[in-house]
Amino acid sequence: MKKLLLIAGLLVIGAIAFAGKYENELTERMKVAEEKAQTGWDSGVRVDMINASLDLDTEWEKEMNKVYDLILKKLPAKEKTKFKAEQNKWVKDRKVKVQKAYDKYIKEEGPRMAGELAASERLSITKERTLELAKRYDKLNK
């Protein structure tokens, strides 16, 4: 009986200790995808480098959509509408930022490098937003 209580107590402590750690779990999950991307970046082959950024961006986008859905489930109806509008604006803003970055890189680096640099820019923007949403989700769970 004492062992059962001890195990139950440890489980409760463990659950409390890990509650609200979505951002940390997300970062851990993404390490594998980031290591895979690093292999592409290290190859020195331009197409591999671009594809590595695009593939990693896709993985971050999937994670962003997951946490976005988790946040939506937690919000009251009035806040859901605001949050959806905020995310739609963010998607439009990201598109504009990436296009501006591409145009800038075309002028500065030429067309061969512009795709790679713009893909990297999109990846950075997506990752930043995903981590921002993960933090927001953690706050909702406190």
Side-chain angles (χ1 to χ4, degrees):
M1 182 66 166
K2 286 184 180 182
K3 284 184 181 180
L4 260 158
L5 288 174
L6 176 64
I7 291 170
L10 290 173
L11 287 174
V12 169
I13 291 170
I16 291 169
F18 290 104
K21 304 275 187 200
Y22 188 88
E23 181 185 8
N24 292 339
E25 293 167 2
L26 167 66
T27 303
E28 280 299 310
R29 278 195 308 275
M30 291 304 294
K31 280 184 180 178
V32 173
E34 289 182 339
E35 288 170 3
K36 183 179 176 186
Q38 190 62 53
T39 302
W41 295 326
D42 291 345
S43 75
V45 178
R46 185 160 283 116
V47 71
D48 291 344
M49 296 166 80
I50 293 170
N51 286 336
S53 291
L54 293 174
D55 291 347
L56 185 55
D57 180 69
T58 298
E59 292 304 312
W60 276 106
E61 181 105 15
K62 286 178 189 174
E63 290 293 339
M64 180 177 60
N65 290 333
K66 285 180 192 175
V67 71
Y68 172 81
D69 289 339
L70 290 170
I71 291 171
L72 276 179
K73 289 177 184 174
K74 292 266 184 187
L75 294 176
K78 188 176 180 180
E79 289 182 43
K80 281 182 186 181
T81 304
K82 263 177 67 175
F83 183 60
K84 286 178 182 179
E86 174 191 325
Q87 186 68 5
N88 287 335
K89 182 184 179 317
W90 177 86
V91 169
K92 289 175 187 172
D93 289 348
R94 175 181 62 179
K95 187 175 182 176
V96 169
K97 286 177 185 176
V98 171
Q99 185 61 52
K100 283 182 180 178
Y102 181 78
D103 294 343
K104 175 185 150 197
Y105 294 134
I106 285 278
K107 291 175 188 171
E108 293 176 0
E109 305 291 336
R112 289 184 56 134
M113 288 295 292
E116 180 183 332
L117 294 169
S120 180
E121 186 83 18
R122 179 184 161 98
L123 167 60
S124 177
I125 293 167
T126 303
K127 180 179 178 177
E128 182 180 308
R129 177 63 174 177
T130 305
L131 292 171
E132 178 186 317
L133 292 180
K135 287 176 187 169
R136 189 184 252 174
Y137 181 70
D138 282 342
K139 283 182 184 178
L140 287 171
N141 284 318
K142 286 189 178 179

